[in-house]
Amino acid sequence: MKEEVLSQRMLLLCACAALEARGDLQRLDLAIREALDGGVSVNELKDAFAGLYAYTGFPRSLNALNTLERVLTERKAAGIVDYEGKPFRRPATWDDATLALQFGTEMQTRDEGGTPWDYTFCPQADYYMKSHLFGDIFACDQFTPAERELITVSALSAMDGVTPQFEGHKECAVFMGNTKEQVDELCRWLRE
């Protein structure tokens, strides 16, 4: 994702991510409809909401998925056929804990700009982040790592009390392939 301006599709996904993080289901309903009408696929929305649980918690993730399911049911009843997008494929890391940890460690190192990251203070949190967050979630192929980071930045921007993670993921978004200008543009757009 090296384009200088973020695509409308990416902005629509990011708006949904921010509203998922806020737990604002009424506005999320409208944003999902706008995203679907704007070319975001059903499977992209599913993957974004499912993966965001690692940052926003299962309740918000499940509420967003339930909102998406309700919107899709209503649209189908109204005769609207939404674009499903790329089918979900179960990542190989889900069946091999060693592979998940290896892939996740590589992905997290890339996310940190090439610097290996170890959270020795709490080894179980270190393992969860590497094997699950970066190993399992990043192994899903609906998004590039650059797109996944923009979705994460959007969710974190909407949450209170996560400034260190928000600032860190803005840097990670650049390490994963976005330009600083794109990240800054996204943050300005989200404040509007």
Side-chain angles (χ1 to χ4, degrees), residues 164-185:
Q165 291 78 18
F166 172 63
E167 293 299 328
H169 277 280
K170 287 177 11 183
E171 290 180 11
C172 294
V174 174
F175 293 144
M176 288 302 216
N178 298 289
T179 65
K180 183 177 183 325
E181 292 75 22
Q182 287 173 314
V183 176
D184 291 344
E185 174 195 349

Side-chain angles (χ1 to χ4, degrees), residues 67-131:
T67 301
L68 173 60
E69 185 176 29
R70 183 181 45 73
V71 166
L72 291 171
T73 299
E74 290 173 7
R75 288 168 65 94
K76 184 176 181 179
I80 299 170
V81 178
D82 289 304
Y83 173 59
E84 289 290 323
K86 183 182 355 179
F88 169 77
R89 286 184 321 132
R90 182 182 173 87
T93 60
W94 289 14
D95 298 319
D96 185 337
T98 302
L99 181 62
L101 181 59
Q102 178 186 353
F103 177 78
T105 300
E106 292 168 6
M107 190 60 61
Q108 186 180 36
T109 299
R110 180 177 166 198
D111 198 53
E112 293 291 329
T115 304
W117 191 84
D118 289 306
Y119 195 52
T120 56
F121 172 72
C122 184
Q124 55 273 53
D126 184 67
Y127 176 80
Y128 299 154
M129 284 187 277
K130 287 177 178 153
S131 68

Side-chain angles (χ1 to χ4, degrees), residues 28-43:
L28 179 60
D29 178 292
L30 298 172
I32 288 170
R33 293 170 194 277
E34 187 176 352
L36 291 167
D37 290 341
V40 176
S41 77
V42 170
N43 289 329

Side-chain angles (χ1 to χ4, degrees), residues 40-75:
V40 176
S41 77
V42 170
N43 289 329
E44 287 173 326
L45 287 166
K46 285 180 183 179
D47 190 81
F49 295 152
L52 280 175
Y53 99 86
Y55 299 97
T56 65
F58 266 122
R60 286 195 167 112
S61 174
L62 293 173
N63 288 344
L65 286 165
N66 290 337
T67 301
L68 173 60
E69 185 176 29
R70 183 181 45 73
V71 166
L72 291 171
T73 299
E74 290 173 7
R75 288 168 65 94

